[in-house]
Amino acid sequence: PDDSDIYIYLIFMNCQVLSIIKHQNRQYTVDNWQNIGNFYIITHSTELSSGKPVIIQSLSPGITSHPSFHQWRQKFLYLGQQLSKCHHPNLAKVIDIFEYQGFPYLVYEKILGVSLENLLQQEVMISNDKALNLITEVADAVKVLHSKGLYHQGISPKSIIYCCLEDRVILTDLALFTPLSQEIRYRIALLQDGYAASEQYEVGQNS
């Protein structure tokens, strides 16, 4: 879609002024953007017609001056389209993808639950059989990504959400798969503190 299909406006709701992104027949609230490293930004949002919580992700405005920004933007949109074709019960579902004023946007469902990182911090006991089942669920989800030529490049306990009501885990942070280069590593510092997937160290591979 071109920019004529998308617009942003303000509304008053519950005594608050909210920014709204409208794309075709969907409308999303926009709150404060949060930096994910120096490469991505996200905002926790709501799709107004359904009332469902979603996450909107885009590229950081701080990298627009980089000569590779256009290439990254096109790659973001392409990989987002590929990701929207990945259907699996242990993957967060992509709801929308579009471009507005030169920035790509990916919208996917927000998973309500607790991360494995928090469970570990709370020292929740998980049986060996249960742990094996959870690992298998994540591995199956990753296989679906790989079948579309996608690499998550950010899997960690923080990005795996356990939904207790459904007794399953969901792999989230699905846009963190842009291929890295040596320059991105050291000048943009995308690698996560404390953990980075092994694929991120393989220059020129897993694009």
Side-chain angles (χ1 to χ4, degrees):
D2 56 33
D3 286 358
S4 63
D5 297 321
I6 308 161
Y7 56 91
I8 299 177
Y9 59 95
L10 301 178
I11 65 170
F12 288 94
M13 181 178 293
N14 295 331
C15 300
Q16 292 182 318
V17 179
L18 299 177
S19 297
I20 303 295
I21 295 179
K22 182 174 182 179
H23 175 223
Q24 297 178 351
N25 62 338
R26 294 189 176 101
Q27 299 181 85
Y28 308 101
T29 62
V30 179
D31 203 345
N32 295 326
W33 290 95
Q34 304 171 21
N35 289 317
I36 304 298
N38 294 322
F39 200 67
Y40 289 99
I41 55 174
I42 68 169
T43 182
H44 295 266
S45 176
T46 300
E47 202 283 305
L48 289 180
S49 63
S50 65
K52 292 182 179 180
V54 298
I55 292 176
I56 303 177
Q57 190 157 15
S58 185
L59 296 178
S60 172
I63 63 173
T64 55
S65 60
H66 195 282
S68 296
F69 176 74
H70 176 73
Q71 177 185 353
W72 294 338
R73 180 184 63 199
Q74 293 304 114
K75 192 71 171 182
F76 184 102
L77 290 169
Y78 169 75
L79 294 177
Q81 293 291 349
Q82 291 297 102
L83 182 59
S84 68
K85 301 174 184 177
C86 296
H87 304 289
H88 192 274
N90 302 110
L91 284 175
K93 180 181 178 182
V94 173
I95 298 172
D96 205 356
I97 183 167
F98 56 91
E99 187 174 3
Y100 179 71
Q101 294 186 341
F103 281 89
Y105 293 91
L106 177 70
V107 183
Y108 55 93
E109 63 178 340
K110 180 178 180 179
I111 306 302
L112 303 180
V114 58
S115 70
L116 292 190
E117 179 182 60
N118 286 340
L119 288 179
L120 293 173
Q121 291 174 348
Q122 297 169 17
E123 299 183 353
V124 175
M125 297 296 296
I126 301 177
S127 68
N128 290 338
D129 289 343
K130 185 62 177 178
L132 181 59
N133 287 337
L134 297 181
I135 293 171
T136 301
E137 289 181 1
V138 174
D140 288 344
V142 170
K143 286 181 181 179
V144 173
L145 292 177
H146 289 183
S147 72
K148 298 297 183 182
L150 302 177
Y151 294 83
H152 189 289
Q153 294 192 356
I155 297 176
S156 71
K158 186 177 182 179
S159 64
I160 300 171
I161 306 299
Y162 176 66
C163 305
C164 59
L165 294 180
E166 302 177 20
D167 192 28
R168 63 184 174 120
V169 292
I170 307 292
L171 183 58
T172 64
D173 297 338
L174 296 177
L176 300 180
F177 44 59
T178 296
L180 302 182
S181 67
Q182 195 78 4
E183 181 180 12
I184 292 176
R185 264 185 227 154
Y186 295 109
R187 297 186 61 182
I188 302 183
L190 178 59
L191 296 183
Q192 302 178 40
D193 294 337
Y195 176 85
S198 60
E199 293 95 335
Q200 297 188 6
Y201 294 95
E202 299 173 6
V203 179
Q205 300 181 21
N206 296 338
S207 59

